[in-house]
């Protein structure tokens, strides 16, 4: 059983200004490291289709969809970017990029549930976990993981789905999308206090969102995974696991102030895989979220994929 990598050329056409850390170079850095590490040949490459409007509407309001779809600036026009908030904007290609990012997560879900592949990593942008049901924000336009998890529930009829989010930021959009959904368990950690300043005070039955202080290292994270995530995951017995795979908690990533290294991402991935193997026939779909130090991002994705594809 293989591991697939989903992506689409349109995901590299969306950009928000040459200064912006959420850049097309992030996907190129991942590609370069997949080749340099020589794991590329063991991965099945798949091109992501575009998501259908109905897929997106399972998570997002028509207002949120319209904010992205209906505000695209003209390519090469006088103003190349349409600002959605202080750090999120659209260019002419953003809607197509967002459709293929969400489409990657959906297609990966279909392929994993069909048994065609064991698991998948979606090398996609724009990222998704800050995108609220009613509003894009925080570099995110559509919530790729939430859309795929809803697809697993509503189209495939799964009854228990888990979302694991190890990005340095709280996945506020995902949290909100499933706040009243008992079939979805969300487990995460996030630097706190830190953007988007949510997640630390809302306690509910189907989420284990663990705030950690700046400068926390891998040992802190491994302890919280062992003590807080794993008991919740074993109690839920998920039939499928989605990962919001952000790599901005890396020690070399200056977006956040945490101290993870590649070995920590590999270890977390091993823990999640063990849960998936026990309850979910190994079914995992992992989607790229943050990660802005290009070298650390590429190396961390390789570490994550080596575990997913059992190449070590
Ligand atoms: Zn992040």
């Amino acid at each position: 059983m293989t591991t697939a990598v989903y992506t689409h050329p349109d995901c590299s056409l969306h950009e928000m200004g040459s200064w912006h850390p959420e850049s097309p170079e992030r996907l190129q850095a991942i590609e370069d490291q997949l080749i340099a590490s020589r794991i590329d040949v063991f991965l099945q490459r798949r091109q992501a289709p575009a998501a259908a409007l109905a897929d997106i509407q399972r998570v997002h309001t028509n207002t949120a969809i319209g904010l992205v779809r209906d505000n695209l600036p003209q390519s090469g026009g006088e103003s190349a970017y349409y600002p959605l908030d202080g750090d999120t904007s659209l260019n002419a290609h953003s809607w197509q990029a967002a459709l293929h990012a969400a489409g990657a997560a959906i297609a990966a879900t279909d392929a994993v549930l069909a048994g065609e592949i064991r698991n998948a990593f979606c090398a996609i942008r724009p990222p998704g976990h800050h995108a609220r049901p009613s509003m894009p924000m925080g570099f995110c336009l559509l919530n790729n993981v939430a859309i795929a998890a809803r697809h697993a529930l509503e189209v495939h009829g799964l009854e228990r789905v888990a979302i694991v989010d190890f990005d340095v930021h709280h996945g506020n959009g995902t949290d909100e999308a499933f706040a009243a959904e008992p079939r979805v368990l969300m487990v995460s950690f996030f630097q706190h206090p830190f953007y988007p300043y949510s997640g630390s005070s809302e306690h509910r039955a189907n989420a284990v969102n663990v705030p950690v202080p700046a400068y926390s290292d891998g040992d802190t994270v491994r302890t919280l995974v062992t003590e807080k995530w794993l008991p919740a995951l074993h109690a839920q017995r998920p039939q499928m696991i989605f990962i919001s795979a952000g790599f901005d908690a890396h020690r070399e990533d200056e977006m956040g102030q945490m101290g993870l290294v590649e070995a920590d991402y590999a270890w977390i991935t091993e823990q999640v895989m063990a849960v998936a193997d026990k309850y979910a026939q190994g079914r995992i779909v992992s989607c790229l979220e943050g990660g802005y130090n290009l070298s650390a991002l590429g190396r961390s994705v390789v570490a994550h994929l080596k575990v997913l594809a059992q190449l070590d």
Side-chain angles (χ1 to χ4, degrees), residues 242-285:
F242 294 88
I243 302 179
S244 267
F247 298 94
D248 42 7
H250 194 283
R251 188 162 65 191
E252 294 167 35
D253 198 304
E254 294 181 351
M255 184 70 74
Q257 288 82 41
M258 283 184 63
L260 301 202
V261 295
E262 293 93 302
D264 297 312
Y265 291 115
W267 183 87
I268 295 169
T269 309
E270 286 167 5
Q271 309 311 306
V272 175
M273 274 188 79
V275 174
D277 285 343
K278 187 163 185 180
Y279 306 110
Q281 300 165 50
R283 297 187 287 227
I284 295 174
V285 170

Side-chain angles (χ1 to χ4, degrees), residues 49-58 65 95 99-100 102-103 106 142 147 151:
L53 195 58
D55 298 321
I56 299 164
Q57 287 170 324
R58 290 192 189 98
I65 293 167
W95 176 242
L99 287 180
H100 284 98
I106 293 166
L142 301 174
I147 289 167
H151 180 79

Side-chain angles (χ1 to χ4, degrees), residues 129-130 167-169 248 290 292:
H129 75 154
H130 294 307
D167 191 277
V168 77
H169 303 96
D248 42 7
Y292 304 98

Side-chain angles (χ1 to χ4, degrees), residues 167-178:
D167 191 277
V168 77
H169 303 96
H170 173 230
N172 61 299
T174 310
D175 208 357
E176 184 179 340
F178 298 112

Side-chain angles (χ1 to χ4, degrees), residues 4 6 105 108 119-124 145 166 241-247 284-288 304 308:
Y6 282 79
N119 53 37
F121 177 72
C122 300
I124 49 176
V145 158
F166 56 69
I241 300 179
F242 294 88
I243 302 179
S244 267
F247 298 94
I284 295 174
V285 170
S286 175
C287 294
L288 180 66
H304 181 53
L308 286 176

Side-chain angles (χ1 to χ4, degrees), residues 5-292:
V5 174
Y6 282 79
T7 191
H8 191 278
D10 284 1
C11 291
S12 295
L13 297 178
H14 161 73
E15 55 98 17
M16 299 184 282
S18 58
W19 57 274
H20 204 293
E22 204 292 279
S23 66
E25 287 74 25
R26 299 175 63 233
L27 295 184
Q28 189 59 52
I30 291 170
E31 286 298 321
D32 291 348
Q33 284 290 339
L34 291 183
I35 293 165
S37 66
R38 302 171 190 262
I39 68 168
D40 195 43
V41 292
F42 301 106
L43 305 169
Q44 188 181 118
R45 296 302 195 128
R46 293 191 170 201
Q47 180 138 315
L53 195 58
D55 298 321
I56 299 164
Q57 287 170 324
R58 290 192 189 98
V59 169
H60 293 289
T61 63
N62 286 328
T63 303
I65 293 167
L67 274 171
V68 180
R69 184 192 56 200
D70 302 336
N71 286 314
L72 302 176
Q74 295 293 313
S75 189
E78 213 158 88
S79 48
Y81 305 105
Y82 178 91
L84 291 169
D85 66 32
D87 51 26
T88 311
S89 58
L90 306 173
N91 76 354
H93 307 286
S94 298
W95 176 242
Q96 283 302 316
L99 287 180
H100 284 98
I106 293 166
T109 301
D110 288 338
V112 166
L113 284 168
E116 295 168 25
I117 53 175
R118 176 183 172 81
N119 53 37
F121 177 72
C122 300
I124 49 176
R125 52 182 297 281
H129 75 154
H130 294 307
R132 300 175 60 191
S134 60
M135 189 177 75
M137 63 176 272
F139 308 175
C140 299
L141 302 181
L142 301 174
N143 196 317
N144 308 311
V145 158
I147 289 167
R150 275 283 169 215
H151 180 79
L153 295 172
E154 311 304 341
V155 176
H156 292 280
L158 296 195
E159 294 167 348
R160 296 180 311 281
V161 165
I163 297 174
V164 172
D165 187 329
F166 56 69
D167 191 277
V168 77
H169 303 96
H170 173 230
N172 61 299
T174 310
D175 208 357
E176 184 179 340
F178 298 112
E181 176 50 81
R183 292 174 293 178
V184 176
L185 169 70
M186 178 179 182
V187 301
S188 77
F189 65 81
F190 55 93
Q191 183 179 324
H192 179 78
F194 197 43
Y195 183 90
Y197 304 99
S198 55
S200 62
S201 57
E202 306 108 56
H203 296 288
R204 51 189 180 82
N206 56 339
V208 179
N209 295 315
V210 186
V212 295
Y215 308 108
S216 296
D217 63 7
D219 287 342
T220 302
V221 166
R222 291 184 193 212
T223 300
L224 77 83
V225 167
T226 302
E227 294 181 353
K228 298 187 173 175
W229 284 14
L230 294 180
L233 288 165
H234 285 293
Q236 192 216 18
R237 300 164 58 242
Q239 296 165 303
M240 180 159 183
I241 300 179
F242 294 88
I243 302 179
S244 267
F247 298 94
D248 42 7
H250 194 283
R251 188 162 65 191
E252 294 167 35
D253 198 304
E254 294 181 351
M255 184 70 74
Q257 288 82 41
M258 283 184 63
L260 301 202
V261 295
E262 293 93 302
D264 297 312
Y265 291 115
W267 183 87
I268 295 169
T269 309
E270 286 167 5
Q271 309 311 306
V272 175
M273 274 188 79
V275 174
D277 285 343
K278 187 163 185 180
Y279 306 110
Q281 300 165 50
R283 297 187 287 227
I284 295 174
V285 170
S286 175
C287 294
L288 180 66
E289 300 283 0
Y292 304 98

